[in-house]
Every structure is written in structure tokens, then in C-alpha cells.
Amino acid sequence: MSLFIIWLSAMFPLVFSPGPANIVFAASGARVGVKRSIPLIMGVDTVFIIKSIIVGYGLGEVVQAYPNIMNVVQIVGALYLTFLAYKFVRSSATKSQNSTQHLGFIDGLLIQVLNSKGWLMVFLMFTLFTEQAQLTFGEHGILVLVIWLAMLNISIHFVWVKLGVLLANISSNKTYEQALNIFYASCLLVVSGWLIIDNQIWSQLI
């Protein structure tokens, strides 16, 4: 229990912070509700679980040995976030049926595969807690951390979707809905810009 409390105190702020996936979850909740956002959550968390297994069982050393891989992923991810921001702005400017299209499982996969900060969070968790988990749970220590992170991620992601629903329920005014879409798009553009500026390849070029 003491290990879990320490783990939760370190991981909760990282998982709950408004990163790319959480912003998209809130936007999805606002647009289509909790039920229709479930495929998006499944896509994101499937990749999160795979990331945890890869890093936890040592295959993440390959990624650490070739840091440029993550730099490329970070740039592509930033471009994809920009594309999502464009889709939110476009949906706020049109009343066609396209504006009701929602993000699904494949979108969730892409968002999380291209989320370099998600990789770093998983690396951080195993760097901090692998030894303690193995001392506490023996050979099952890595698996316990994977399960804990999966449960925390899924829970927090539903919370973000619900927050989006609550924001959408404040008003059904079309202008308010358009403003929400533009707000989510702006948040994604800020994250995208930060990822590009923070990228080591970009830093080398300038």
C-alpha cells in the first residue's frame, strides 16, 4: 500500500495533466458524449499498455539507444495535432454532417503512438519504481506497474471525457459550441508548437 501511494502521488499529476490526449478526450466528450468516446479511449489506452510492456520488459532500451527515433515521432506527432486542431476549427465553421464525425479507435492509436511525452512518462515510471516493485512483488513487479498505469490512465481519461460533457452541457448555444471547438484547437496548437520548439532536431537546425 505504501508503494502504491508513493507511485500514485508521482504518476497522478503526469496522467491528469492536460496533454494532447486529454485535450482530445475533453473535445470528444463535448461533441459526442461518453459512450461514443469509448473507442477513442480504447485506442489511446491500447497503445499506452503496449508502451508500458515494451519499456517495462527492457525493449525500451532500443528507443533510448536511438534518441532520434523519438525526435522524429515528436515532430510527426506535432503535425498530427495541428491536423486535429484544423479539424476542430473546421467543424466549428460548418453545419454539415461532417461536423458530427467523431474520433474513433484508429485516431486514438495514432494520437498515442505519436505522443512522445507518453513514452517519456512510461520511461520515468519504470526508472523510479521498477526496483521497488520487484522487491515488493518479486517477478510480477513489472506486470503490477503495467496494470496500475493502465487502470489510472483509463480512469483519468473517462474523467476528461466527462469534463468535456459537462462543459458542453453548460450551454447548447451554437456560438458557445464553436467557441469550445476553437478553444480545444488552440490548446492542441499550443502543445504542437511546444513539441516542435522542444524537439532536439529543431534545436540543432536553429
Side-chain angles (χ1 to χ4, degrees), residues 133-171:
Q134 289 177 333
L135 288 173
T136 305
F137 300 103
E139 62 182 9
H140 301 298
I142 299 296
L143 179 59
V144 169
L145 291 178
V146 171
I147 293 172
W148 282 359
L149 184 61
M151 293 175 64
L152 180 63
N153 275 326
I154 293 170
S155 302
I156 295 302
H157 293 161
F158 271 103
V159 169
W160 272 94
V161 171
K162 188 61 178 177
L163 287 174
V165 173
L166 293 175
L167 282 176
N169 287 341
I170 292 175
S171 173

Side-chain angles (χ1 to χ4, degrees), residues 179-195:
L180 269 184
N181 279 335
I182 293 173
F183 170 73
Y184 294 131
S186 300
C187 290
L188 289 177
L189 287 175
V190 169
V191 174
S192 175
W194 179 76
L195 288 174

Side-chain angles (χ1 to χ4, degrees), residues 44-56 109 119 146:
V44 168
D45 287 313
T46 295
V47 176
F48 241 126
I49 292 170
I50 294 172
K51 283 181 179 182
S52 301
I53 293 172
I54 289 174
V55 175
L109 291 179
W119 284 98
V146 171

